[in-house]
């Protein structure tokens, strides 16, 4: 076999390129309405996958939704009827505010405290951004 044929054969066997170059997609919450309440089934696992504090995320979600609720095991119960799309939109706001780096756009961040100020520290680019609690 000549070089050109081997090269063509190698290209054919390579996996096809993904549609996007992004390695991070905001996880989907499994929210459903039950009576007068909204249950988010995978809340704890999703938040832990993002390396964030469950109570911090819960406080943000309930504050943005303008309701109260409770954490029951892996689930979050919100008082009131909220569509899955509206719950997901609030969750995406949380991710943009407290997970995604403002400089490089990567999710490799953690919340630290520096001089009594909460900061979002990016492990990918080293950026520090102040955040409001």
């Amino acid at each position: 076999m000549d070089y050109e044929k081997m090269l063509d054969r190698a290209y054919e066997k390579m996996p096809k390129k993904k549609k996007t170059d992004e390695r991070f997609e905001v996880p989907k919450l499994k929210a459903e309405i039950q009576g007068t309440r909204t249950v988010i089934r995978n809340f704890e696992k999703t938040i832990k996958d993002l390396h964030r504090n469950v109570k911090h995320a819960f406080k943000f979600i309930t504050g943005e939704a303008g309701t109260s609720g409770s954490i029951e095991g892996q689930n979050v119960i919100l008082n009131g009827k909220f569509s899955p799309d509206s719950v997901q939109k609030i969750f995406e706001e949380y991710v943009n505010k407290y997970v995604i780096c403002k400089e490089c756009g990567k999710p490799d961040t953690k919340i630290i405290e520096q001089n009594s100020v909460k900061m979002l520290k990016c492990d990918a680019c080293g950026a520090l951004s102040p955040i409001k609690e």
Side-chain angles (χ1 to χ4, degrees):
M1 264 191 187
D2 69 330
Y3 178 75
E4 293 295 323
K5 287 182 182 177
M6 288 191 299
L7 190 59
D8 289 338
R9 185 172 169 218
Y11 276 124
E12 287 173 8
K13 293 192 179 219
M14 287 177 60
K16 302 295 178 208
K17 204 172 188 184
K18 291 182 183 177
K19 291 180 183 176
T20 178
D21 291 334
E22 286 295 317
R23 65 180 178 93
F24 177 75
E25 292 181 17
V26 177
K28 298 288 184 205
L29 291 178
K30 295 177 184 169
E32 57 188 45
I33 298 171
Q34 291 184 348
T36 59
R37 305 182 316 166
T38 304
V39 179
I40 305 172
R41 296 258 176 237
N42 61 338
F43 189 79
E44 185 174 341
K45 181 190 179 319
T46 304
I47 297 302
K48 286 186 176 182
D49 287 348
L50 296 174
H51 305 290
R52 291 298 178 266
N53 182 291
V54 173
K55 289 182 182 176
H56 180 260
F58 172 73
K59 181 179 174 184
F60 180 85
I61 300 275
T62 55
E64 289 295 307
T67 190
S68 60
S70 61
I71 301 172
E72 295 179 11
Q74 294 282 324
N75 304 332
V76 160
I77 312 293
L78 300 176
N79 295 323
K81 294 180 181 181
F82 299 95
S83 72
D85 289 339
S86 65
V87 171
Q88 186 66 32
K89 185 177 177 188
I90 293 170
F91 179 63
E92 288 172 6
E93 287 176 36
Y94 176 82
V95 170
N96 287 329
K97 197 170 194 176
Y98 295 107
V99 178
I100 302 295
C101 175
K102 308 297 183 256
E103 296 299 318
C104 69
K106 295 196 168 133
D108 307 321
T109 61
K110 57 187 166 193
I111 296 174
I112 62 168
E113 191 167 325
Q114 192 174 55
N115 300 327
S116 300
V117 176
K118 297 280 186 184
M119 305 285 276
L120 192 64
K121 182 177 185 333
C122 181
D123 292 334
C125 72
L128 281 172
S129 306
I131 54 174
K132 292 182 181 179
E133 278 291 331

